[in-house]
Amino acid sequence: MTTLKSKLKEDLTTAMKARDELTSSTLRLTLTAITKEEVSGTTARELSDDEVQKVIAKEAKKRREAAEAFAQGGRTEQAEREKAEGEVLDAYLPKQLSDDELGAIVASAVEEARAAGAEGPRAMGAVMKIVNPKVAGRADGGRVAASVKKLLAG
């Protein structure tokens, strides 16, 4: 079992003993999503820590989007719950890049792509190929794409 998955299970046990309903339900749902990912496909397999981290990031993103939707719908209590669940999951993810750090990485990638001959908005794919491995798990794809578009537009 991967270290991140075992940490989730240990934290679930701790939360259950402490009768922390929010944390225990959030971790249960996340472990279920991990198990679902492990058994999907033709054969069951053990996920690596990186793959487990991607599942956690996907679950955290779902919570953020749900919180926004509930807030727009006027259901503040449910929005707060989703936001709190997202914060529980954020503890298991690497620290997100600040806008300045992301901007610096994107700027160097744009320069690298321009040196390779990619120019203008059509260089988006080339720049994203350079940026994505550098920011994997530390910045949301939408943020990265918006930053790249802004720099390419000039």
Side-chain angles (χ1 to χ4, degrees):
M1 187 181 315
T2 61
T3 55
L4 187 54
K5 186 176 173 185
S6 60
K7 176 159 177 40
L8 286 169
K9 286 186 176 187
E10 289 169 14
D11 290 351
L12 173 60
T13 304
T14 305
M16 288 167 64
K17 287 179 180 175
R19 299 199 185 282
D20 182 351
E21 193 274 329
L22 174 75
T23 304
S24 62
S25 68
T26 303
L27 293 180
R28 267 195 195 107
L29 288 169
T30 304
L31 284 166
T32 301
I34 291 167
T35 303
K36 183 178 176 187
E37 188 69 30
E38 287 177 334
V39 298
S40 68
T42 54
T43 58
R45 63 190 172 86
E46 181 91 14
L47 295 181
S48 68
D49 271 352
D50 287 342
E51 292 170 318
V52 170
Q53 204 169 46
K54 285 179 184 173
V55 172
I56 295 171
K58 193 179 346 176
E59 291 296 310
K61 183 178 179 184
K62 283 182 192 176
R63 300 310 189 288
R64 282 192 301 274
E65 290 171 351
E68 281 180 30
F70 282 127
Q72 289 174 354
R75 296 181 60 191
T76 55
E77 189 175 302
Q78 191 66 32
E80 290 300 317
R81 166 81 183 202
E82 293 290 337
K83 207 175 285 181
E85 287 181 3
E87 289 169 7
V88 168
L89 293 175
D90 285 343
Y92 298 96
L93 295 171
K95 184 180 168 288
Q96 295 291 298
L97 292 172
S98 70
D99 289 338
D100 294 338
E101 293 168 323
L102 179 61
I105 292 170
V106 169
S108 71
V110 167
E111 290 304 315
E112 194 175 322
R114 284 195 178 133
E119 282 291 327
R122 286 176 287 183
M124 178 89 176
V127 174
M128 291 298 285
K129 282 181 187 171
I130 297 167
V131 172
N132 278 337
K134 295 178 182 177
V135 300
R138 298 184 304 152
D140 183 54
R143 267 183 68 209
V144 175
S147 181
V148 169
K149 280 180 187 171
K150 190 172 106 183
L151 268 180
L152 287 176

